[in-house]
Structure formats: C-alpha cells, structure tokens
Amino acid sequence: MSKFKFSPKKSLVVGTLALALSAQAQDGFFQSHLEKQKAIEKEYLDAVDFSSFKVHLKEITKNPHIAGTPENELVQQYMAKVMTDAGMDTKLYPYDVYLPNHPGESHLEIVSPVKMTLSQQEAILDEDPFSSDKRLYLGFNAFSGSGDVTAEVVYVNYGTREDFAKLKEMGVDLTGKVVIARYGGNFRGYKAKYAEEAGAIGLVVYTDPKDNGYVRGDVYPDGPYYNETTIQRGSMLTLDWTGDPLTPNEPALPLDGDKKVKRLDPKEVDFHTIPVTPIGYGAAKEILSRMKGQAVPEAWQGGLPFDYKIEGGSDLKVRVMVDQPVDFIRANNVVGTFKGSKYPDEWIILGAHFDAWSFGATDPNSGTAMLLTLAEAIGKLVKEGKAPERSIMIGHWDAEEQGVIGSTEWVEHMRDELKANAVAYMNFDGGVNGRNFGASAAPTLKKIIMDAAKDVAYPGSSKTVYEVWAGKNKEPRMGNLGGGSDHIAFYMHVGVPSLGGGTGGMTPYHSNYDNFYYYSKFVDPSFKMGGTVAQVFGLVALRLANGDVIPYDVPRYAQDLKGHFENAVKNVQTIAPDFQEFDQANAALAQLEASSKSYQKALDAALAKGTISDKELKKINEELIGLEKSWIDPKGMYYGEWYKSLYVCNDPFSGYASWILPGIQYEVAINRTEKLEEWDSRYAKAISNLSKKIDNITKAL
C-alpha cells in the first residue's frame, strides 16, 4: 500500500515525484529501457512498508546483545529469517575472533584526600523500563589494558596528539600519572595510545556536559542529551590494520574448521597495556573539582561549574583497576542475496553491523531495521518476477564495536571475489539516527545518491529528501568517508566504491540508554524516517543493479581530485613554504579530465542509441568495476600496509577523520618532505592507470 494514499497534499507530492522520476534515473540506462526502470522504481517506492521498520527495530532491540552472547545470536537468527522470508538466499559466515565482550572486574575510586567509589554505570530511571535490565554491563572500553594503579591525576583535554604536544610544551610530566580525558576530537583508542606513550599508567575517559550534556539542553530522560551518569563505551583498539587483531590480511576462520589460519600470539600484538575506564560527567566532576594545579588553556575549559585545572596535585590520588578478559568468540555474519537475473556475478552490497554495546536502538540497529525493510520491499518485486539484473546483497556484520571486525574478516575472506565482482558497498551503521538526512561517498557514487533523494518525499513535508537535505544550498553537502565503520575494508583495503548514508540527530551513543524507549521519544517518534531511508537507498541499489552501463559518475574523479590536490599543496606548504606543485600528478590529472569528458560524451551517445550488445556491455561493466582498483597499491601506506587505497584512508592519528590523498597527508602530519617526490610519482601512476582504463571503456562505447 502506498504511504501517500490518505493525504491529498501528499498525493500532490507523488505527482511531483512521478514527474521527477521521468527526469531522473537516466544515468546508465538505454533510452528504450527507461520506462521499464521507472515502473520498477515506482513499484519499489510503493512496496516499502513504513510500519515494518518499527516492528523490526522493536524486535531486535528487546535484549542487550553484545557480540558473542546468546542474545546477539537471537538477533542473527531473526535477521536470517526475515531475509529468507523475503526471498533472499541467506548464508552464515562464522569467524573466531579475539576480543573482550565483557567488562570483567573494574573499579574507580578517589583514594585521597577522601575515599570515594565512583559510579561506572548509568542510573536506573523510572521513565525508562529498559534501564533496569540486569544484563546491562558496567561502562567499559574494549581492549583496555588490565592493571591496578593509584596515582596523581592530570587533565589532558580531549587527549589528541596536539593536546599531548601542548602538555609537553608546557612542561607537564605525565610519567606515572593517571590522566583524565574528555570524549571527542579523536577516536578514543588514540587517547590511550598517546597517554601510554607519554608515560601515563592509567586513563579515565568521560563525556563533558559542554560536548553532550546540560550545557547543550535538557538531559535524559527529559531531553536527548547525556545525563550525569551516561557513559560512552567503545573499543580502544589502535593497530596498524583493521579487523581481528590476530589475523591481519587473513580471515579469522573458525578454530575448529577444516582450513587453518595462522594467528599471531597475543603477546606479539601491540595492545594498550594501561587500564582504561569510561565514566559519566557526574563521576568525573568528583575528580576534576578537586584538582588544584595550573589553569587550563581557555579552549580546554569544559562545562562543569568550576575552573578546570591541569594537575590534581600531590593530595589527589585516584585508583583505576581493570581486569578485562580477552578470548576467542564466535562472530557470525549474515549475508543474503537476491540473485541477479542477468549479471549474477556483479554485486551491489548493502550492509550494517548488528552487535551493540547495549540494546543498540540507534547504533547500529536502526540501520539493521532499515535494511530488513528494504529487503522485504525488493523481495516483493522479486516475487513478481522483477528480480534485479545484478545481484543485490545485504550483509549484517558481527563484532563491529570491538574494532570493525566481522565485516573486515568477510572482506579478507572474499577478497578475490570482491575485487572482480563488487560494484559498490553501502554502509548503514546506525542508518536512521534522527531526521537529518546526509551521506558521504566515493566520487563515483555521489550523484546517484543525490538523484535518488530527488525522487523520495520527505515525511511531513511537501518537499523531497533532496530539497530538505540541500536546504538553502544549491546542492547538498556530501562528505568523504572516514574511519569507524564497516566500509573500511571494502573501500580502503580492496577498492570497492563505498558510501555511508542515512539520517542523524542526537543519540545516546554507546550508552545503556540506547534503547527503544529513547528512540521512540527523541530520535524519530513518527517512525517515518526508516522507510524514507529505505526508499532512497533502495532506489540507489536498483539503479546500480539495473543500469545497462553501471551508473558511476566517472567525471567526478577528476572534479574531486582537482580540489584535493589544491588542498594537498596548501597542506605541504605548511611544512615546506617553497613547495609549488605535484607536477607529475597534475599532468596525469589533466589527462584524466580529458579522458572523463570523452567517456561521458561517448556514454551519452551510446545510451541514446542503445545499440551496444550484451557481450560488449559485460566487458564494459567489468572494466568499470576495475576503475576504483586503480587506487589500490600493494605497498599501501607507511603507517600500515593493510591500508591499500592511495585515494582515501581514515586518519591514523585521530581514527575517525577522512584523509583524502592519505600518502601526502601523512608526510605533512609527520613533517617529512623527502618522500613527496615518491608520492607525486605514485599518485601520477595511479591517475594515469585510471585514465587508461577510462579510455579503454570509451573505445568500447
């Protein structure tokens, strides 16, 4: 049933969208096939059951379900059943991965000048029935070191690389100290890495109310912001690779399986050794308010009602005790496939992880519920004989929270097939976290997202998702993917064009309050955004699946790269003021721009004529799938050879930010100029390789 049926105003929107559908969805399609595709898209939009999202979200967030628990297995079984019922061929991919999924024993207390045990868990709230669940764990950081330390305290702001450099400049000695850092500014694991490197023996991490708390607005349960007991959990893993810590570059196949995988000895792996524990700002206040040392730099002042100090002084001592078990657990990825009717070996992959720190209503399972809703809608088309021409796969990844592990193991397991077959990967980790639509993507996928957003109504509005997303801008702002989620291995290790998208807003991130009650009160009480996101990205999937020529925006490579190299030059000039340009890369970039224009012209003409044979189309599309692989360099990055993409990587000093042209970014970050010529050559080679591939496709058109 169409969601627009009961509203005359929304019927008008449908009419507008029908007109839009006639103007859009042309990229990659022969003119003669457009009418059929538009009919399929309209049928798909009508097939999305908006009420289904709420049903799925409620079911999969009934229990806390951290990786490796029976409750997480229940979620896995539910997803497999829904996908199988929708008509997908559903398969389980088990891996034995090394991780902590339980806090073990931990204590945090002020030893002097008073004795005080500090809370490490959220308060039980009368308004929130989920908060009293006895299976909820203490706040903990996975891959904390184990230890029992008592020492003086130093406040290190966000604990970024720059913050620790500032403390060194100020002459603050961290040797033998417990440091306290606020969340934000970088991936939490780097707070522990830099603290340990500076000589600290323990770390306490808290969320400051200036960043998420009463300074921002009403706190939970009266508002969406962190209350004084809310704790952000999360992994501390910071290795030179992503995935299972014992099997870099290889899948962590089951220990009891036929094929044996060589695993590293945990003693050989560079895990953090200092004990780490996260707390709420109510507990942090007890430490910070007792500090007596020098005043902090102005930018380091948080939102608690006193002047922050850097040192606690000799009277203030804090004990941090963590005994965290780490062992092998069975992680199970669930992958469903709608087999392509024409090109079954060309894959469009959508995915999200399903394991959670607690109930996971926003992170990750809003994405899970959306993907199940999307699967059911495509399943209706398949059951009517309208299967996608390329295979559409949906992967639900396990053990993401401890270090993006399940998806990485699957990519390493399926590396050769993905290199040859994967058209795109779309990630929806917490994909429906609010009402603000957004996306980040590889250059080739940016336009297809924007076009799809033009053909979907924004709930409760006469506007499309695109119009609301763009706001007052001519075009929506679209970012580049950074770190922190399941696209990493697809995009940065194998070279599959990737995107992350959905809706955002305030969330109870990684806390015990991330439950269905919070979601229904503050995230999206209307429960309309799940269906909306499914509509947008279902259209993206169907266009990628059914396009006669894979609808990549090939000219966008040159367009984006031009700006990226201009920024790279400016960055290099901060360490080498006389630096002028990357001349080899610039020459290759000029050729790429010319090649891209020729390709687009030839493509437009070929699509208008519609005379390319199936055999020629197969070859053209195989070569298009190979374009992104131009960025994959076997040598990889100097900070970790596992990261193979010369185009993009997560920032190895903060973990979350997107580094474009990461080889050059790294040289700037470490203030090294002698390898810039090497990078000019490596980038020129990759860009020239990309141009040649585009020229070959143009000839075939």
Side-chain angles (χ1 to χ4, degrees):
M1 183 185 292
S2 169
K3 76 187 183 76
F4 303 114
K5 185 173 180 181
F6 303 107
S7 167
K9 184 177 180 183
K10 288 186 177 178
S11 295
L12 179 63
V13 174
V14 173
T16 306
L17 292 176
L19 288 173
L21 278 169
S22 68
Q24 301 299 325
Q26 297 186 19
D27 289 352
F29 289 88
F30 292 149
Q31 289 290 332
S32 56
H33 293 171
L34 276 175
E35 194 173 335
K36 177 186 174 185
Q37 176 65 14
K38 283 181 282 183
I40 287 171
E41 291 184 7
K42 185 180 185 310
E43 195 169 333
Y44 171 75
L45 293 175
D46 288 345
V48 174
D49 181 352
F50 276 53
S51 65
S52 185
F53 172 83
K54 182 177 181 180
V55 171
H56 295 316
L57 185 65
K58 192 170 187 177
E59 180 61 31
I60 57 186
T61 61
K62 287 193 306 187
N63 306 306
H65 53 280
I66 199 166
T69 59
E71 290 87 353
N72 205 41
E73 195 170 326
L74 290 174
V75 176
Q76 166 224 306
Q77 291 166 359
Y78 177 81
M79 296 183 308
K81 182 179 186 307
V82 171
M83 291 199 293
T84 302
D85 290 349
M88 302 189 90
D89 177 16
T90 306
K91 186 175 177 182
L92 210 63
Y93 289 85
Y95 302 98
D96 283 339
V97 297
Y98 186 74
L99 56 79
N101 70 343
H102 189 279
E105 186 183 356
S106 70
H107 301 283
L108 179 66
E109 55 190 0
I110 297 174
V111 174
S112 66
V114 296
K115 287 193 75 67
M116 180 184 295
T117 299
L118 301 179
S119 170
Q120 294 175 275
Q121 189 157 358
E122 287 84 351
I124 295 172
L125 304 172
D126 291 340
E127 299 90 337
D128 179 353
F130 293 89
S131 66
S132 60
D133 194 303
K134 290 183 168 39
R135 295 167 296 179
L136 289 168
Y137 290 154
L138 291 175
F140 77 105
N141 288 122
F143 294 106
S144 161
S146 287
D148 190 343
V149 300
T150 300
E152 295 175 24
V153 184
V154 177
Y155 170 67
V156 296
N157 193 30
Y158 291 113
T160 64
R161 185 169 170 246
E162 294 76 16
D163 290 337
F164 281 99
K166 178 71 174 174
L167 287 165
K168 187 175 182 181
E169 179 189 309
M170 295 170 70
V172 178
D173 185 8
L174 301 180
T175 306
K177 306 287 172 57
V178 167
V179 299
I180 182 166
R182 52 177 169 158
Y183 271 116
N186 60 0
F187 170 63
R188 68 189 75 77
Y190 287 98
K191 301 177 195 296
K193 180 183 174 73
Y194 299 140
E196 193 166 334
E197 287 175 354
I201 59 172
L203 170 65
V204 177
V205 198
Y206 78 102
T207 299
D208 196 278
K210 185 176 181 180
D211 302 310
N212 189 346
Y214 59 77
V215 174
R216 296 278 181 172
D218 289 339
V219 303
Y220 192 63
D222 299 320
Y225 293 94
Y226 274 28
N227 67 36
E228 65 174 12
T229 69
T230 311
I231 297 172
Q232 182 193 137
R233 290 148 183 80
S235 178
M236 285 281 160
L237 199 61
T238 55
L239 300 174
D240 293 339
W241 61 91
T242 293
D244 175 55
L246 305 188
T247 59
N249 291 300
E250 297 295 331
L253 298 177
L255 291 161
D256 58 358
D258 294 334
K259 187 175 179 182
K260 301 302 176 188
V261 177
K262 186 179 178 183
R263 285 171 161 85
L264 298 174
D265 184 331
K267 296 186 185 70
E268 299 169 3
V269 180
D270 191 20
F271 295 119
H272 305 307
T273 62
I274 63 173
V276 183
T277 190
I279 55 175
Y281 57 79
K285 179 178 69 175
E286 299 296 343
I287 298 172
L288 294 169
S289 66
R290 289 176 166 82
M291 295 178 71
K292 306 282 189 188
Q294 62 180 306
V296 298
E298 188 178 346
W300 291 27
Q301 175 67 36
L304 292 168
F306 46 77
D307 292 333
Y308 285 32
K309 308 293 184 183
I310 288 177
E311 300 102 340
S314 58
D315 289 343
L316 178 61
K317 290 192 173 63
V318 170
R319 179 192 178 211
V320 184
M321 181 273 175
V322 175
D323 184 9
Q324 185 179 103
V326 187
D327 208 341
F328 293 100
I329 67 115
R330 175 62 54 89
N332 290 295
N333 296 330
V334 186
V335 181
T337 304
F338 289 117
K339 189 174 180 181
S341 60
K342 193 171 183 180
Y343 305 113
D345 292 333
E346 294 177 8
W347 303 345
I348 288 86
I349 308 166
L350 301 88
H353 74 97
F354 66 94
D355 64 297
W357 287 111
S358 63
F359 299 95
T362 63
D363 177 14
N365 297 130
S366 62
T368 311
M370 184 278 292
L371 286 174
L372 294 177
T373 303
L374 184 151
E376 290 172 325
I378 293 179
K380 292 173 189 174
L381 300 183
V382 172
K383 287 169 185 175
E384 291 175 7
K386 296 166 186 170
E389 295 191 357
R390 295 181 181 87
S391 293
I392 293 178
M393 304 169 73
I394 295 178
H396 295 282
W397 318 118
D398 203 352
E400 188 271 354
E401 292 294 9
Q402 283 88 349
V404 194
I405 294 175
S407 60
T408 302
E409 300 317 298
W410 191 77
V411 170
E412 291 174 343
H413 192 182
M414 308 290 287
R415 186 186 289 116
D416 293 341
E417 293 93 330
L418 289 166
K419 283 180 178 177
N421 302 343
V423 172
Y425 174 69
M426 303 186 231
N427 195 53
F428 302 100
D429 181 356
V432 195
N433 270 357
R435 294 183 59 85
N436 302 314
F437 187 86
S440 299
T444 48
L445 300 178
K446 289 181 177 178
K447 185 175 186 296
I448 198 170
I449 303 169
M450 288 192 275
D451 286 349
K454 291 172 182 174
D455 292 336
V456 174
Y458 187 89
S461 168
S462 59
K463 295 180 178 180
T464 64
V465 170
Y466 179 90
E467 289 168 329
V468 174
W469 179 18
K472 295 178 181 178
N473 301 313
K474 184 179 177 183
E475 184 178 280
R477 291 190 179 92
M478 195 175 309
N480 302 296
L481 285 171
S485 195
D486 294 295
H487 60 274
I488 292 175
F490 289 94
Y491 195 24
M492 301 171 191
H493 184 65
V494 174
V496 177
S498 298
L499 68 83
T503 57
M506 285 306 304
T507 76
Y509 182 66
H510 285 192
S511 78
N512 280 348
Y513 297 136
D514 190 4
N515 56 48
F516 191 79
Y517 176 80
Y518 182 105
Y519 192 98
S520 56
K521 189 170 182 184
F522 296 114
V523 179
D524 180 25
S526 73
F527 285 93
K528 295 292 187 191
M529 298 313 296
T532 303
V533 173
Q535 286 187 325
V536 172
F537 290 101
L539 288 184
V540 173
L542 288 169
R543 290 173 187 182
L544 288 167
N546 293 341
D548 296 291
V549 175
I550 294 170
Y552 290 149
D553 183 6
V554 173
R556 187 79 187 226
Y557 276 125
Q559 179 187 328
D560 283 12
L561 277 167
K562 193 173 179 183
H564 296 323
F565 270 99
E566 286 171 0
N567 288 333
V569 169
K570 289 175 186 172
N571 288 337
V572 171
Q573 287 171 344
T574 64
I575 64 167
D578 295 334
F579 184 82
Q580 294 298 311
E581 65 174 348
F582 292 97
D583 53 350
Q584 295 177 65
N586 279 352
L589 194 51
Q591 180 55 50
L592 177 64
E593 199 165 9
S595 298
S596 300
K597 285 177 182 174
S598 298
Y599 166 82
Q600 195 62 49
K601 188 176 178 182
L603 176 65
D604 292 344
L607 292 176
K609 288 179 186 174
T611 55
I612 309 173
S613 70
D614 284 352
K615 185 178 179 182
E616 288 170 322
L617 278 175
K618 177 89 175 136
K619 186 173 185 299
I620 287 166
N621 288 322
E622 284 174 357
E623 292 191 22
L624 281 166
I625 289 171
L627 291 184
E628 191 76 24
K629 314 304 177 292
S630 304
W631 299 111
I632 298 302
D633 187 325
K635 188 176 178 181
M637 294 293 114
Y638 280 112
Y639 49 82
E641 60 80 25
W642 187 90
Y643 298 98
K644 305 283 187 202
S645 173
L646 298 183
Y647 184 79
V648 65
C649 189
N650 42 284
D651 174 354
F653 296 111
S654 79
Y656 285 136
S658 175
W659 265 15
I660 303 296
L661 309 182
I664 298 168
Q665 293 252 43
Y666 182 66
E667 302 306 319
V668 174
I670 64 170
N671 201 20
R672 182 171 70 182
T673 58
E674 58 264 31
K675 291 193 182 293
L676 291 175
E677 194 170 332
E678 176 196 323
W679 284 110
D680 191 14
S681 176
R682 286 173 75 178
Y683 277 106
K685 183 180 176 184
I687 295 166
S688 295
N689 187 17
L690 181 58
S691 290
K692 285 171 189 169
K693 289 178 182 176
I694 292 169
D695 289 340
N696 287 338
I697 299 169
T698 303
K699 287 171 191 170
L701 288 167

